[in-house]
Amino acid sequence: MVDAYEDPGTPDCRGGARYLWWLVARQPGRAAAGALLGTVWMVLMALTPYLLSRAIDDGLEPGDQAVLAGWSAALLGVGLFNSWVSIMRHRTMTRLRMDANFRSVKLVVGQATRLGATLSRRTGAGEVVTIGVGDVQTISQSLTVVGPGVGSAVAYAVVAGLLLSVSLPLAAVVLLGVPVIVVLVGPLMGRLRGAETEYRERQGVLTARIGDLAGGLRVLNGLGGKGLFADAFRRDSQRLRMQGYRVGSVTSWIQALGIGLPTVFLAVVTWLAARLAAQGAITIGELVSVYGYVAVLVAPVAFFVECGYQLSRGVVAARRVVRFLSLEPMETGRTSVDAPAEPSVLHDPRSGVRVAPGRLTALVGARPAESAAVVDRLGRYTASAATWGGVRLDAIALPQVRARILVADNEADLFAGTLRDLVSGRGDPDEETVAAAVRAAVADDVVLGLPDGLDSAVDAQGRSLSGGQRQRVRLVRALLADAEVLLAVEPTSALDAHTEAAVAARLRAARSGRTTVVTSTSPLVLDQVDTVYYLVDGKVAALGSHQELLDGEPGYRALVARDADMDDTDDVNDVNDVNDVDGTNIDEPDPDASSRPAAASDLDAEEAVR
């Protein structure tokens, strides 16, 4: 089987069937051994009735005990040998399937790693889970055709040849049997592929919804959107169930025909052979052999149907794998030039945003997804005409872009490990640098609240931390990366007002003289920035300082201005601040608190529910 550290090879991504063939071609010796052992196994099963007929005609009927004992010994020897062949066939096919399984898993995991931060932007989490859990297993199972499938075809031809020596009509019936079965089962295979494809698509969507629900249940509860989300999940689940019934209906017909047609086939041939024996056209031994041949043929014919069924499902699964493997992290452009030697302007022509070097810039929009889309284009995570210093970003060597421009997503993954490893990343910062970043992100209480400080273990995705703590830990990691350009998406959205104000002020100081972009609708953050871009429908509607836009843009003022009484807000913030320092999970956004603008909160709730 494929080694854990071995290169799985370059897959053939021109189609599902080609990918399956590539998996077989990667292990030609094992595939050939499986086909050979499967053929020998099936052929010896077909020869058993012949040996039995010889024992009856040459030994039992004439009463020759020696001949009868000889043919009986031959039957025993063939049976024992075929048992060993069956064991080796099964072992070989298991290795072949497992190799294909592990090879596909390595390819999928490698592709997910190669896509990196663009993975969530190129495909859904449900799609990846469905591929890794279900499709890879289906692909490996479909390779059964390599062993028993080949053996069934050869055994069918051998039995037809043996029947020719007994009776031409019987041989003709056997030879015509499989084409009839193909005609009857073939249309069902096409229906199965269509139903299976739609089922897999719906399954991916539902898996993604499960992930979203598990990750955002607390937020949905706070925003009052759990009921809407549950209703949407229920509808999708019902659609998946109905599609599963359609797949099951087609599958049941295929499996019923796989068992029923060979049985009917057996009955017809046996009836014909019995009539020939009654007419004296064939001997009793030949009658027994014909019955044995046809009984043996039930297995190859059933394998034909089963292999067709497995191949249909395998091709559907392989298409999904190929589609995932064909994704590219980013269009590299026609050329590869160096990045600007000095800090330069980042420009997104689509929105009109122009980020000046060395300044703190904010993107404000009623739809957070539109602001995040601008960040994705400026960070070269989606194809665009964005430029850096007048040069198209997609023309600059990607490693240079990644080394100097950092996109800090507020939902970026947090891997299990110590807090120090979590925030340090690939770097090895000293204690003073780490402490400065922790203070800048107002994460001192996070470190102090853990039993071993920075050396405390943190669960995957920071599950042992509250939402606000996770957000500040992500900010610490972003600051320690010390990128020339930092593009931060909603870096304070889960913080209470007091902590948010401190983060905004310290972030400005920590990034002084360096290019920094944040997306936010919080006046506490916007009051600290140099330039604010107000976006409407993803395009710049106005720009200026926070105060200038408050005075001159009614839409901006309605989006970010506080509508509640400041004294009540301060009381709420004092309580939140105390709870946050205690390390409890109170620093999540509270929909009833007035520390957020009403318009922004409503929009955030709508986006979360959607």
Side-chain angles (χ1 to χ4, degrees):
M1 289 179 287
V2 61
D3 185 84
Y5 301 99
E6 179 185 347
D7 180 11
T10 303
D12 190 339
C13 294
R14 291 176 292 176
R18 288 181 179 272
Y19 179 78
L20 294 179
W21 175 250
W22 175 81
L23 288 175
V24 174
R26 292 297 297 177
Q27 37 184 337
R30 193 173 289 137
L36 176 62
L37 291 170
T39 299
V40 172
W41 175 58
M42 284 285 189
V43 169
L44 289 180
M45 287 176 61
L47 287 179
T48 301
Y50 172 78
L51 296 176
L52 183 60
S53 69
R54 302 315 308 160
I56 293 173
D57 287 343
D58 297 343
L60 183 61
E61 188 174 354
D64 192 331
Q65 296 298 322
V67 173
L68 179 61
W71 285 114
S72 298
L75 273 170
L76 177 62
V78 168
L80 292 175
F81 178 72
N82 209 23
S83 299
W84 177 82
V85 170
S86 178
I87 294 172
M88 299 308 297
R89 173 198 60 82
H90 188 273
R91 289 183 177 180
T92 303
M93 291 306 303
T94 299
R95 291 191 179 100
L96 185 141
R97 289 194 298 267
M98 294 304 294
D99 183 283
N101 191 311
F102 294 150
R103 197 176 298 274
S104 295
V105 168
K106 287 192 67 175
L107 288 170
V108 170
V109 172
Q111 173 71 346
T113 304
R114 189 170 76 94
L115 291 173
T118 63
L119 175 62
S120 59
R121 297 169 172 86
R122 305 305 301 277
T123 187
E127 180 79 1
V128 179
V129 172
T130 303
I131 290 173
V133 175
D135 290 329
V136 169
Q137 183 69 24
T138 302
I139 287 171
S140 62
Q141 283 297 120
S142 69
L143 299 185
T144 302
V145 68
V146 174
V150 173
S152 297
V154 175
Y156 189 80
V158 169
V159 169
L162 291 172
L163 283 175
L164 279 173
S165 64
V166 177
S167 170
L168 183 59
L170 290 176
V173 171
V174 170
L175 290 173
L176 291 175
V178 168
V180 171
I181 292 175
V182 170
V183 170
L184 293 174
V185 177
L188 292 176
M189 295 298 182
R191 287 185 58 189
L192 176 64
R193 281 192 294 270
E196 186 83 16
T197 299
E198 185 175 351
Y199 178 80
R200 292 293 185 182
E201 297 293 339
R202 292 186 182 278
Q203 190 178 42
V205 171
L206 192 64
T207 305
R209 284 195 181 276
I210 293 173
D212 293 341
L213 182 61
L217 184 59
R218 291 175 58 200
V219 177
L220 287 170
N221 271 327
L223 297 173
K226 186 176 72 171
L228 292 175
F229 198 95
D231 290 341
F233 179 83
R234 188 177 296 108
R235 288 192 299 271
D236 287 342
S237 179
Q238 290 172 350
R239 293 191 189 102
L240 179 65
R241 182 186 62 188
M242 295 307 298
Q243 188 61 29
Y245 287 157
R246 296 187 184 96
V247 173
S249 175
V250 178
T251 301
S252 64
W253 274 105
I254 291 175
Q255 293 180 343
L257 291 175
I259 297 175
L261 287 178
T263 303
V264 173
F265 186 57
L266 171 64
V268 171
V269 176
T270 303
W271 179 76
L272 290 175
R275 284 181 59 85
L276 292 174
Q279 296 169 1
I282 61 175
T283 66
I284 298 300
E286 288 174 334
L287 173 62
V288 173
S289 68
V290 168
Y291 181 84
Y293 294 148
V294 179
V296 169
L297 276 180
V298 172
V301 174
F303 265 121
F304 286 150
V305 178
E306 177 68 16
C307 289
Y309 167 68
Q310 294 290 355
L311 276 178
S312 295
R313 300 182 70 236
V315 169
V316 172
R319 286 173 183 167
R320 291 166 57 84
V321 172
V322 165
R323 184 172 60 190
F324 178 71
L325 296 179
S326 299
L327 296 176
E328 291 296 332
M330 179 54 57
E331 295 180 7
T332 57
R334 292 172 296 178
T335 59
S336 183
V337 299
D338 289 334
E342 298 179 352
S344 302
V345 173
L346 270 173
H347 179 221
D348 175 35
R350 183 170 175 180
S351 64
V353 171
R354 186 179 293 272
V355 180
R359 296 175 65 83
L360 178 58
T361 304
L363 305 180
V364 178
R367 298 183 179 89
E370 293 177 350
S371 302
V374 175
V375 169
D376 282 346
R377 293 194 290 271
L378 294 176
R380 194 178 161 183
Y381 282 103
T382 56
S384 71
T387 61
W388 189 16
V391 181
R392 283 182 62 111
L393 267 176
D394 57 9
I396 300 174
L398 186 58
Q400 296 186 35
V401 175
R402 294 288 177 262
R404 296 173 59 182
I405 300 178
L406 173 65
V407 174
D409 195 306
N410 66 335
E411 295 183 353
D413 290 328
L414 297 174
F415 298 104
T418 65
L419 182 60
R420 185 186 305 278
D421 292 339
L422 194 61
V423 299
S424 299
R426 290 180 295 181
D428 188 21
D430 55 36
E431 289 290 338
E432 185 177 348
T433 303
V434 174
V438 169
R439 174 166 176 74
V442 196
D444 309 76
D445 63 297
V446 179
V447 177
L448 293 174
L450 295 174
D452 297 317
L454 287 170
D455 295 319
S456 300
V458 177
D459 294 343
Q461 300 302 338
R463 295 188 187 93
S464 54
L465 305 175
S466 72
Q469 290 174 334
R470 289 194 294 269
Q471 195 163 53
R472 284 177 284 159
V473 166
R474 291 186 179 101
L475 184 57
V476 173
R477 182 171 61 181
L479 292 173
L480 283 175
D482 199 27
E484 176 184 319
V485 180
L486 174 61
L487 309 175
V489 179
E490 299 287 349
T492 62
S493 60
L495 306 181
D496 62 81
H498 177 82
T499 307
E500 186 176 40
V503 169
R506 294 181 189 180
L507 176 63
R508 178 180 178 85
R511 294 287 301 175
S512 177
R514 315 202 75 180
T515 307
T516 307
V517 177
V518 296
T519 70
S520 179
T521 57
S522 168
L524 298 174
V525 175
L526 299 174
D527 196 45
Q528 296 288 337
V529 305
D530 299 312
T531 304
V532 178
Y533 281 92
Y534 174 46
L535 305 179
V536 176
D537 294 330
K539 299 185 182 299
V540 175
L543 67 95
S545 68
H546 172 55
Q547 192 59 49
E548 290 171 348
L549 293 180
L550 281 177
D551 295 339
E553 280 293 326
Y556 177 84
R557 184 169 56 252
L559 179 62
V560 305
R562 296 180 185 269
D563 295 330
D565 181 72
M566 292 299 295
D567 293 337
D568 293 341
T569 302
D570 290 340
D571 292 341
V572 173
N573 291 341
D574 290 341
V575 174
N576 285 341
D577 181 43
V578 171
N579 288 333
D580 185 73
V581 171
D582 290 341
T584 58
N585 298 343
I586 305 300
D587 50 7
E588 299 283 350
D590 184 354
D592 297 326
S594 56
S595 60
R596 292 284 184 198
S601 298
D602 292 342
L603 287 164
D604 288 345
E606 182 181 346
E607 285 295 319
V609 172
R610 185 181 300 117

